[in-house]
Amino acid sequence: MRLRRCCVSLIGAAVIANAGDLQLADNGVSTYSIVFADAATDNPRSREARALLQRLLREATGVTVPLSAESAHTSGPAIYIGKTQAAREAGLAPDEVEGWTIRKAVRGEHLFLV
């Protein structure tokens, strides 16, 4: 499988972010959602990143993790991607992230990729 640079970065971020504490999928089932910032809904770069993450998780685990805008995500564990309000509340300062820089963190049952 050929991976572009951003794919490799996302995979690396997910693994490095202490993913041993999280179980994103088990036996073809996941309770996670990929949650993106509402403002990113029409942003082509954001759409590509979340679709790519969803595809990579499906290829790695066999599970299609659902996508959700942040305002529609009501509960449950999440993989927050991009400059979400949840990332701000987790202290990750997403508005300071520029270019190809990635901030990653695990907070409770949530994985943040900013």
Side-chain angles (χ1 to χ4, degrees):
M1 172 170 60
R2 299 173 85 185
L3 297 176
R4 297 186 329 192
R5 180 181 303 218
C6 58
C7 297
V8 174
S9 296
L10 286 171
I11 292 170
V15 171
I16 293 169
N18 200 13
D21 293 344
L22 301 177
Q23 189 160 0
L24 300 178
D26 185 33
N27 291 322
V29 177
S30 178
T31 58
Y32 278 81
S33 294
I34 297 170
V35 179
F36 54 92
D38 294 321
T41 304
D42 295 318
N43 179 319
R45 193 167 157 189
S46 176
R47 279 195 308 268
E48 181 181 357
R50 62 186 181 251
L52 206 51
L53 179 58
Q54 185 183 46
R55 190 186 91 221
L56 291 171
L57 287 170
R58 182 176 51 249
E59 289 175 3
T61 68
V63 176
T64 300
V65 177
L67 299 171
S68 175
E70 194 167 21
S71 63
H73 181 72
T74 56
S75 65
I79 302 168
Y80 289 97
I81 184 167
K83 298 179 178 185
T84 61
Q85 183 60 36
R88 286 180 190 86
E89 292 169 6
L92 298 175
D95 297 316
E96 296 174 9
V97 177
E98 296 179 1
W100 287 99
T101 303
I102 293 177
R103 289 198 179 145
K104 61 230 176 265
V106 173
R107 301 284 193 274
E109 62 186 356
H110 304 297
L111 173 62
F112 293 89
L113 301 173
V114 180

